[in-house]
Amino acid sequence: MELEPKVAKLIVKSLKDIINHEINLFDTSGTIIASTDTVRIGTSHEGARLAAKNQQTLTIEHDNQFKGAKKGINIPVLFNQSVVAIIGITGERTKVEPLGNIIKKMTEILIRENWIQLTNFHQRQNYHNLATMLIAPQRDDSLAAYLASLLDIDLERPRILVIGKFLFTREKNNLNYEKLLHTIQSHLHIFPGSFFSLINQKSATISSYQKMDYGLLFVGISTEDNKQLQKKVLGSLTVEEIEQFQLIFETYKRYNGSIMKCAEALFLHKNTFQNKLNRITEKTGYNPRNLSDFTVLSAAFMSYRLSNLER
């Protein structure tokens, strides 16, 4: 684990508020990555390098005892039983040695807290990436499986999907993200193996799974096969024509082929409605009045509609 400069700077600032001594934080090569004396940042310190190598506190009795060193103590900082940094306190030995163990423990606590925050962030990001990938029209199944393995999620396990959205008012539209995460996690805690993600999607159409009837078949059909179906049946039509013909076809299906009821529903003369049915036959080669052609048209329009829902 390498200590990032921003984290190192934050640690030094926190320690500075506690003790009235110059503090340096070194990486394991002995280079100062954060210091109360900013001039020293980036310089090398042979004493700190030795402290990291030997994993032992090194006391420096006088300035320049080692290259780049000032008198004081250099203490190895451990994380998961490995040295990840050296904390140096400048000053007389009798004054700084009593502070050594306290400062070491505080630094290790700060590093562990930062690691936990970073781990939680990466975990949230992986949950978000996995959820986004699972609902995408096209996805990389191998990458989804990899993310699931990182999160110890069994994608083959039967699940219930819950979808929600936030409703904001003009008076109160500030979202407390951390509080929201805590609330959701507290509710999901009783369901082991559950996960969630907050997705920024401004508009979407939600269809009830139970009400999709034979549209459920299209969930298991690849995107490429759906495209082939649409191309074969609707490929000669413009987007505008598809929308118009779909309205005519769905009305015809809703009223079970009753021309009179269809014409009344769309405020058309019955002959006009029949002409529009004929236009579907002319443009697609499939006749809605023929049962086998009707099935093909229904499948093509269903595929087209579901494809648009995913966009």
Side-chain angles (χ1 to χ4, degrees), residues 32-48:
I32 297 178
I33 54 178
S35 175
T36 52
D37 182 3
T38 55
V39 175
R40 299 188 66 187
I41 295 176
T43 61
S44 297
H45 191 297
E46 184 63 19

Side-chain angles (χ1 to χ4, degrees), residues 257-268:
S258 172
I259 301 299
M260 186 68 72
K261 290 182 179 179
C262 291
E264 288 177 358
L266 297 179
F267 304 99
L268 298 173

Side-chain angles (χ1 to χ4, degrees), residues 122-134 147 151 195-200:
H122 287 319
Q123 187 180 56
R124 289 179 195 169
Q125 196 64 40
N126 284 337
Y127 276 128
H128 174 78
N129 291 340
L130 177 60
T132 302
M133 186 170 296
L134 290 177
L147 289 172
L151 298 166
F195 67 99
F196 72 96
S197 178
L198 302 180
I199 299 175
N200 182 20

Side-chain angles (χ1 to χ4, degrees), residues 9-274:
K9 185 177 180 180
L10 181 62
I11 291 173
V12 168
K13 184 178 183 300
S14 299
L15 297 177
K16 180 183 178 182
D17 296 335
I18 299 172
I19 62 173
N20 189 26
H21 288 278
E22 182 180 322
I23 300 171
N24 301 300
L25 196 58
F26 309 85
D27 63 18
T28 52
S29 71
T31 301
I32 297 178
I33 54 178
S35 175
T36 52
D37 182 3
T38 55
V39 175
R40 299 188 66 187
I41 295 176
T43 61
S44 297
H45 191 297
E46 184 63 19
R49 188 188 69 79
L50 289 173
K53 179 181 179 181
N54 299 324
Q55 298 189 22
Q56 293 181 347
T57 297
L58 179 68
T59 301
I60 299 176
E61 302 289 350
H62 55 81
D63 292 351
N64 297 319
Q65 179 178 339
F66 295 95
K67 182 181 177 181
K70 290 185 178 181
K71 58 184 176 181
I73 57 172
N74 295 288
I75 313 157
V77 177
L78 301 180
F79 180 78
N80 291 341
Q81 307 303 315
S82 298
V83 177
V84 294
I86 303 296
I87 189 75
I89 310 173
T90 303
E92 296 293 337
R93 176 176 182 174
T94 55
K95 293 182 179 180
V96 298
E97 272 192 342
L99 302 172
N101 194 50
I102 297 174
I103 296 302
K104 167 184 165 68
K105 293 298 182 185
M106 289 185 63
T107 303
E108 289 174 349
I109 290 171
L110 291 171
I111 289 175
R112 182 166 294 278
E113 286 180 348
N114 175 74
W115 178 81
I116 291 172
Q117 290 178 358
L118 193 61
T119 300
N120 288 339
F121 172 79
H122 287 319
Q123 187 180 56
R124 289 179 195 169
Q125 196 64 40
N126 284 337
Y127 276 128
H128 174 78
N129 291 340
L130 177 60
T132 302
M133 186 170 296
L134 290 177
I135 65 174
Q138 298 179 340
R139 67 170 182 261
D140 185 335
D141 288 332
S142 62
L143 181 55
Y146 171 72
L147 289 172
S149 67
L150 289 179
L151 298 166
D152 196 24
I153 292 174
D154 181 5
L155 292 180
E156 300 300 321
R157 182 178 179 181
R159 297 179 182 275
I160 295 174
L161 177 65
V162 179
I163 301 174
K165 67 178 180 179
F166 301 110
L167 298 177
F168 298 107
T169 62
R170 291 184 178 180
E171 293 76 20
K172 189 176 182 180
N173 59 2
N174 292 325
L175 176 63
N176 187 325
Y177 186 74
E178 292 299 326
K179 184 177 180 180
L180 176 63
L181 287 177
H182 177 74
T183 301
I184 298 175
Q185 287 169 343
S186 65
H187 287 300
L188 288 181
H189 184 68
I190 60 176
F191 302 106
S194 300
F195 67 99
F196 72 96
S197 178
L198 302 180
I199 299 175
N200 182 20
Q201 193 164 347
K202 294 183 179 180
S203 62
T205 303
I206 300 174
S207 297
S208 171
Y209 192 81
Q210 288 80 4
K211 295 179 180 180
M212 286 179 68
D213 50 65
Y214 80 97
L216 291 170
L217 296 173
F218 291 93
V219 176
I221 299 176
S222 70
T223 302
E224 187 58 35
D225 287 340
N226 270 312
K227 286 182 178 178
Q228 288 296 325
L229 173 63
Q230 293 170 35
K231 182 178 179 180
K232 178 177 175 59
V233 182
L234 309 175
S236 62
L237 306 179
T238 65
V239 173
E240 184 178 358
E241 285 176 327
I242 293 175
E243 300 291 344
Q244 291 175 354
F245 289 168
Q246 185 164 7
L247 175 61
I248 296 298
F249 182 82
E250 293 299 331
T251 305
Y252 183 71
K253 181 166 66 172
R254 185 182 308 118
Y255 291 103
N256 202 27
S258 172
I259 301 299
M260 186 68 72
K261 290 182 179 179
C262 291
E264 288 177 358
L266 297 179
F267 304 99
L268 298 173
H269 190 278
K270 64 178 184 179
N271 291 339
T272 303
F273 186 83
Q274 290 193 90

